[in-house]
Amino acid sequence: MRVGIFYFPTDYGIDIRELARAAEERGFESLLLPEHTHIPTSRRTPFPGGGELPKAYSHTHDPFVALSFAAAATTKILLGTGICLVPQRDAIVTAKCVASLDRLSNGRFIFGIGGGWNVDEMENHGVRYETRFKLMRERILAMKALWTQEEAAFHGEMVNFDPVWSYPKPAQRPHPPILLGGDSDHSLKRVVEFCDGWLPIARPGFKAKEAVERLRQAASAGGRDFSTLPISVFGAPADEAVLAEYREAGIQRAVLGIPDLSRDEILGVLDKHARFVA
């Protein structure tokens, strides 16, 4: 099982280049960055984690810009979004961001995606909460066309364009792995239909063996080879026993959280977490 990390890349936090280098030097397999374009001050939508929304959510860098700096500062570590809010992003523009980053990083990009939870935020982008997953699906399918076809076109209900040229194409073929977040049965069906892996969050009560079996059953029902759908657990606990359970269950990647602390404290956390890499 591979071990990676995720971090909210804030304007007041550790320099993302230093974090990426430090993670690579300690042997971490991957670095994932989340996304929020902005946070509406209305705060109509409750924070899923309960309580006040952490400060980091409203101070994040754009993930593709931050990951580009991380890519330039490293050579081996995989770099990804965890997650990219696809319903809030134009399909053609995002396809170019993904392809450009994948090529410039020599094929090191992981495309973690999700539908989002902040209703206020997505409404500012003209997105309706009720149809966000339908929009996400069409945008991902449109991106796949842009990445794999010389003259790409897409005609859906919510995404529509006639043949275009879109370059560069990603370094990874046919495209970087698409990992979908979410833990509902609908999410698993989406993983099977148009993604390359599952990115569930390690919420209280998450059980690795049950998660693996759920995906196995969804793959069977959808006619997909289960072995082609790896599971990466987002927010995995830094606990030796729990990670051993993940490994035994067949989880392919555990992504540990890096807290919103000072530079020196974060480097200390990396040092402590490095014991899980071996």
Side-chain angles (χ1 to χ4, degrees), residues 39-87:
I39 297 295
T41 59
S42 68
R43 301 302 307 116
R44 279 193 295 119
T45 309
F47 176 46
E52 291 296 317
L53 185 73
K55 177 183 177 182
Y57 279 72
S58 55
H59 284 261
T60 56
H61 289 298
D62 176 89
F64 289 99
V65 174
L67 288 169
S68 295
F69 276 79
T74 56
T75 58
K76 298 183 297 183
I77 193 169
L78 302 184
L79 305 162
T81 49
I83 59 171
C84 175
L85 297 170
V86 171

Side-chain angles (χ1 to χ4, degrees), residues 113 115 130-137 140-141 144 178 180-198 215 218 224 229:
I113 66 169
E130 297 77 14
T131 57
R132 70 195 189 285
F133 288 115
K134 184 176 184 179
L135 177 59
M136 180 184 73
R137 175 183 177 274
I140 290 297
L141 294 179
K144 286 187 174 185
I178 302 169
L180 177 63
D183 56 11
S184 70
D185 290 340
H186 290 296
S187 293
L188 288 173
K189 290 179 181 178
R190 296 180 186 110
V191 169
V192 170
E193 181 194 356
F194 58 86
C195 296
D196 306 298
W198 185 25
L215 182 58
R224 186 81 181 266
L229 296 171

